[in-house]
Amino acid sequence: MLFIQKIFLLICLYLFSSQSVLASSILEVDFHQVVNKAESIFEGEVVATSSEFSADGNIYTFVDFLVLDVLSGDLNIGESITLRFTGGTVNGLTLNMDSSIPDIGEHGVYFIESINAQLINPLYGWSQGHYRIQADGHIIAGDNRVVIGAEENSRNNSSKQKLSTGTARGIITLPQQQVNTPPLSPPISLYEFKRLIKDAKK
Amino acid sequence: MTIFRQMLRSFLLLLIFTPYQGAQSEALGQKWPNTSATFLTGGLPSDGPAGSLPGNAETWKGAANEAVNRWNNVQSAFTLIISSAAGSGVCHAFGDNNLIFSSTACSSAFGANTLAITAGWSSGTTIVKADIIFNSNKVWGIYDGPIRFSPEDFRRVAMHEMGHAMGLAHTTVSSALMFATASDTFLPTPDDVESLEAIYKEVEESKSGGGSSIYLLLSILGIGGLRLVSAHKKAG
């Protein structure tokens, strides 16, 4: 019975989990590019969020992170940083730019394009620079799939660029791997993900 | 066995109250209260791509018109209306729906990898306004056929963003216009059309008041209902 319950739960999660919803046209970037172009990379936890109407007529959501580990850039462990995302909900009115805005309590690894540039989404390549860490330790990529690894050479040598599907090119997630190279690899741990980041640095 | 039946019932309820989104496509979960919306192109330049770029004989406004026509010609679920009048309230909750080129997106920088955005305003699940903003820092052309990416095809991206503005999310059908990766597709496909029709069929059904009560009745029927819902979806 327990087995049936697990299978059922997996089916439900697959069918009804929040799927990647992008309503903007973002260019696909490769993981090597995300790692090396990001101004800062850190592991953090969202400790507060607030959305407000600004004088320019937009809604911005301010997300406060507690920095738990610094993988790159000018940040310090234990400090708090605030990132501004365009979009959010105030008094029942929502501005949706399809930024995946981190929610309170979220634990993740964040690749910041710029803290000070006032971008629509401060994460590099939007959801391509956003990796959530689940309670079970699994890393969840921008397409809401579990990360199981990265291609050794994810650099885009083609002159053609593609639009993002939510996850940086070169990141291998569970369903993709399931189709291409069975048997399944296990999800990677946070430690292993950090090692991938270090390996991808120049 | 009881637990299994409870789970099956929960699954069924979840299935029933999940909006129909077509065989492969997704809806954003938001839609316009009516089945038409007007977009203003007064903010687009009156010329077209410069120099030897593809489509340099066409204008941006003409390409936007053609993008709207291509959607309207293949489906009747939602009517896009376009006007060359100047719009108001770009990036504001109230005002017109606009198509513009801009070097910034609603007072924010686009960033290195953003071609275009649809800034959608909604109240609950009802879309109240949408602005489509093209990143003028990128090089744009107007052309059909194989995608080149440099220049980007304005009309193809406009059609894709209009799809989002109407309430469509990305599809898993790689040949569709609403697939997340831009491709050689420059016309709406049956998958795009079915998805749009599914969204706005619900608008029509909710206006007639028939859909929800049937779904609720089916939910009480349990497994037998599942079969009926499945048939209903295929019929949709």
Side-chain angles (χ1 to χ4, degrees):
Chain A
M1 184 56 69
L2 200 61
F3 175 75
I4 294 172
Q5 278 178 297
K6 281 183 177 174
I7 294 290
F8 174 81
L9 194 64
L10 282 172
I11 292 169
C12 282
L13 281 172
Y14 176 75
L15 288 174
F16 300 109
S17 61
S18 59
Q19 307 214 12
S20 172
V21 175
L22 294 167
S24 295
S25 297
I26 314 298
L27 292 171
E28 183 182 66
V29 287
D30 61 57
F31 186 60
H32 181 271
Q33 195 179 344
V34 175
V35 170
N36 289 286
K37 293 283 179 71
E39 180 183 280
S40 304
I41 307 169
F42 73 99
E43 176 198 350
E45 186 176 334
V46 178
V47 292
T49 65
S50 64
S51 299
E52 55 189 63
F53 258 111
S54 71
D56 62 19
N58 290 304
I59 293 176
Y60 295 109
T61 297
F62 297 88
V63 181
D64 298 338
F65 295 87
L66 174 64
V67 176
L68 302 173
D69 192 13
V70 179
L71 297 135
S72 172
D74 191 20
L75 296 172
N76 299 303
I77 294 173
E79 78 168 308
S80 289
I81 63 163
T82 301
L83 298 180
R84 191 194 79 166
F85 293 77
T86 306
T89 300
V90 176
N91 297 329
L93 197 60
T94 299
L95 172 59
N96 181 14
M97 295 271 197
D98 290 312
S99 283
S100 173
I101 301 176
D103 206 355
I104 192 157
E106 180 182 301
H107 178 203
V109 176
Y110 305 93
F111 299 74
I112 303 175
E113 180 169 345
S114 173
I115 293 178
N116 299 318
Q118 305 285 287
L119 299 162
I120 305 166
N121 184 324
L123 302 180
Y124 194 88
W126 296 32
S127 62
Q128 299 170 93
H130 184 180
Y131 294 84
R132 290 178 289 119
I133 303 162
Q134 288 190 154
D136 59 9
H138 295 171
I139 311 293
I140 307 299
D143 60 0
N144 289 315
R145 292 173 176 175
V146 176
V147 176
I148 56 174
E151 292 169 9
E152 280 188 18
N153 185 5
S154 65
R155 293 187 206 204
N156 180 21
N157 296 320
S158 164
S159 59
K160 284 194 170 184
Q161 285 186 295
K162 294 180 176 178
L163 295 184
S164 169
T165 55
T167 299
R169 183 177 44 256
I171 287 291
I172 307 170
T173 54
L174 203 45
Q176 281 178 327
Q177 205 268 353
Q178 210 165 9
V179 170
N180 297 329
T181 53
L184 296 177
S185 295
I188 61 170
S189 65
L190 176 58
Y191 174 79
E192 290 167 318
F193 187 60
K194 287 180 179 177
R195 200 173 61 197
L196 288 179
I197 295 169
K198 284 174 186 164
D199 290 347
K201 286 189 82 67
K202 286 172 193 169
Chain B
M1 205 58 194
T2 310
I3 296 171
F4 184 69
R5 286 186 69 175
Q6 281 176 345
M7 289 193 305
L8 203 56
R9 193 163 291 168
S10 306
F11 178 82
L12 182 66
L13 284 169
L14 205 55
L15 190 68
I16 286 162
F17 288 108
T18 300
Y20 171 53
Q21 297 170 348
Q24 300 294 323
S25 303
E26 299 166 20
L28 286 171
Q30 295 172 329
K31 56 196 167 198
W32 294 86
N34 298 308
T35 52
S36 68
T38 301
F39 283 82
L40 304 188
T41 59
L44 291 175
S46 53
D47 58 358
S52 59
L53 289 178
N56 63 355
E58 298 186 56
T59 64
W60 305 117
K61 289 183 182 182
N65 277 335
E66 178 60 17
V68 161
N69 289 338
R70 288 182 182 187
W71 271 113
N72 289 342
N73 288 344
V74 294
Q75 52 83 35
S76 57
F78 192 93
T79 305
L80 286 166
I81 301 164
I82 203 151
S83 162
S84 59
S88 65
V90 175
C91 291
H92 287 255
F94 305 102
D96 300 305
N97 308 305
N98 299 282
L99 263 82
I100 62 163
F101 272 112
S102 176
S103 59
T104 60
C106 301
S107 306
S108 298
F110 274 105
N113 305 297
T114 308
L115 288 180
I117 60 156
T118 297
W121 290 87
S122 59
S123 175
T125 58
T126 302
I127 301 170
V128 296
K129 185 178 182 296
D131 291 315
I132 299 173
I133 305 167
F134 296 85
N135 184 351
S136 62
N137 302 311
K138 299 286 182 184
V139 179
W140 294 91
I142 303 167
Y143 56 93
D144 287 336
I147 189 84
R148 305 180 192 196
F149 290 102
S150 184
E152 310 291 344
D153 178 21
F154 169 80
R155 184 165 50 216
R156 201 172 323 208
V157 174
M159 292 175 68
H160 184 90
E161 294 299 320
M162 284 172 185
H164 288 314
M166 289 188 283
L168 291 174
H170 287 151
T171 177
T172 55
V173 176
S174 60
S175 59
L177 185 66
M178 295 312 294
F179 189 61
T181 301
S183 68
D184 297 345
T185 302
F186 53 89
L187 292 169
T189 65
D191 181 75
D192 300 309
V193 171
E194 282 172 23
S195 305
L196 198 58
E197 287 174 343
I199 295 172
Y200 288 98
K201 186 181 178 188
E202 285 180 1
V203 173
E204 293 302 317
E205 279 180 354
S206 65
K207 281 179 178 170
S208 65
S212 300
S213 57
I214 293 170
Y215 283 3
L216 194 60
L217 176 66
L218 292 176
S219 75
I220 298 164
L221 295 177
I223 299 170
L226 179 62
R227 210 170 288 132
L228 287 170
V229 170
S230 176
H232 176 91
K233 286 191 169 188
K234 280 176 185 166

